[in-house]
Amino acid sequence: MAQFTLIQAINDAMRLALERDPGVVILGEDVGKNGGVFRATEGLWERFGDDRVIDTPLAEAGIVGTAIGMAVNGLRPIVEIQFLGFAYPGFEQIVSHAARLRTRTQGMFPAAMVIRAPYGGGIRAPELHSDSTEALFVHTPGLKVVVPSTPYDAKGLLLAAISDPDPVLFLEPMKLYRAVREEVPEEAYEVPIGQARVVREGEDVTLLAWGAMVPVAIAAAEEWTQKGVSCEVIDVRSLYPLDEETLVASVKKTGRAVIVHEAPRTAGVGAELAALLQEQAFLWLEAPIARVTGYDVPVPMFALEDAFRPDAYRVSEAVRQVIAF
């Protein structure tokens, strides 16, 4: 076992993938000699050369389009988009081509590729560097979307994404890049896409979160434990496909749900989760489903960033509301 941060676990997953499959290539802005803006690819260019770890121009549409061509020809590209907010120029390539290629070719050419993107706030970055636009991609048929919140999950989910026959958007919560260390197996392993993780079991309220909001949900749950309220915390981690069985079973058990995400509230993934729970667990609900989210505004500058992002206090207040209903 190695003690890895989340960013180190991502780096180790890519190293293993490059070692075991000569078809795996990495491409993106500054991923080579510089090792990436967050050093996710540090040391890989020196080890595998510029035929496998490829620096590109600042052109997200070109990066993703090139990766699609690589995938069609049998390679397994890993694209790095420096920040999720920079993906907009490449959005057309992702949704019009990568996501549709399997259907368009009747299964002849699946686009086996991974698009890595740091996302979310909490690091005092300027606008477009802190966006949480996962809903845009979850709403796109043909894409899979995963979000790790721990070093263990980061390595296992990334290796699963690289092995997957479909395009996978791998979102990396920047706030958690170096927040904690945990034991991570040195060998290759996969965390299955489509499975949520029960972080802690509880009986009274279900807290659903992903990415950097998982530690926030845990903090709120710990606060309520001291008051005699047992909160079950679930890391959704696979936004598409969803682990509907685990989410619904938890809410049927607790009768209450609070959904936490830092993306804007309107039409966020939390709304889809709320609809799912209403459809499949309505008769078990003891209170309306609550959402704790970012606000329907662009991510503000540094002085207001903490006010924009959900915190343990806001989650705790939502728990209070559903308990008191």
Side-chain angles (χ1 to χ4, degrees), residues 27 35 46 57 71 86 93 96 100 102 109 126 129 143 147 159 192 201 215 219 233 237 253 279 305 322:
L27 64 160
E46 291 85 352
F86 293 1
Q93 290 288 334
S96 297
R100 298 170 182 264
R102 178 192 286 273
F109 295 106
H129 294 69
L143 290 181
V147 190
L159 287 171
E201 295 189 354
V233 178
R237 77 182 176 183
K253 177 175 69 171
E279 291 167 355
E305 186 177 23
V322 298

Side-chain angles (χ1 to χ4, degrees), residues 6-72:
L6 192 143
I7 196 73
Q8 289 172 326
I10 290 169
N11 178 279
D12 196 53
M14 290 190 286
R15 176 189 62 80
L16 285 169
L18 287 163
E19 285 180 348
R20 68 182 185 177
D21 185 350
V24 172
V25 294
I26 298 171
L27 64 160
E29 299 161 7
D30 295 325
V31 300
K33 186 175 182 178
N34 195 45
V37 67
F38 291 102
R39 302 300 183 260
T41 55
E42 189 170 38
L44 300 181
W45 176 77
E46 291 85 352
R47 184 165 184 173
F48 297 99
D50 53 17
D51 287 337
R52 305 282 306 281
V53 183
I54 306 165
D55 276 323
T56 69
L58 305 183
E60 285 76 15
I63 297 168
V64 177
T66 299
I68 293 170
M70 289 176 165
V72 167

Side-chain angles (χ1 to χ4, degrees), residues 117-318:
Y119 90 108
I123 66 165
R124 302 297 189 262
E127 66 166 329
L128 288 178
H129 294 69
S130 302
D131 286 4
S132 298
T133 56
E134 59 268 30
L136 298 177
F137 300 94
V138 170
H139 194 66
T140 301
L143 290 181
K144 297 177 181 178
V145 183
V146 297
V147 190
S149 68
T150 67
Y152 180 90
D153 279 0
K155 180 174 178 178
L157 275 174
L158 183 51
L159 287 171
I162 295 168
S163 299
D164 200 273
D166 292 309
V168 180
L169 182 66
F170 187 88
L171 298 180
E172 303 168 5
M174 294 183 288
K175 178 72 172 176
L176 302 184
Y177 265 158
R178 294 174 175 87
V180 297
R181 290 180 180 271
E182 73 172 359
E183 289 189 342
V184 176
E186 295 181 358
E187 68 274 9
Y189 64 92
E190 294 186 3
V191 172
I193 294 173
Q195 290 187 11
R197 176 174 67 98
V198 179
V199 179
R200 59 184 291 164
E201 295 189 354
E203 300 294 332
D204 300 316
V205 184
T206 296
L207 305 182
L208 303 178
W210 53 92
M213 293 296 101
V214 173
V216 172
I218 293 171
E222 290 173 348
E223 178 182 335
W224 276 98
T225 297
Q226 299 172 11
K227 302 174 183 178
V229 175
S230 174
C231 295
E232 181 150 293
V233 178
I234 295 181
D235 180 355
V236 179
R237 77 182 176 183
S238 181
L239 301 185
Y240 193 87
L242 274 174
D243 183 357
E244 296 184 7
E245 182 178 352
T246 296
L247 307 186
V248 171
S250 176
V251 174
K252 284 183 176 180
K253 177 175 69 171
T254 66
R256 301 173 180 87
V258 176
I259 301 166
V260 188
H261 62 71
E262 61 181 300
R265 180 182 182 90
T266 300
V269 175
E272 177 64 25
L273 296 182
L276 168 71
L277 298 174
Q278 287 280 92
E279 291 167 355
Q280 299 194 25
F282 178 76
L283 295 179
W284 286 264
L285 289 174
E286 300 287 346
I289 296 166
R291 287 181 289 162
V292 182
T293 70
Y295 299 103
D296 289 346
V297 298
V299 179
M301 294 299 285
F302 314 143
L304 295 175
E305 186 177 23
D306 290 340
F308 173 84
R309 301 177 70 245
D311 57 16
Y313 173 78
R314 287 176 58 194
V315 176
S316 183
E317 286 300 300

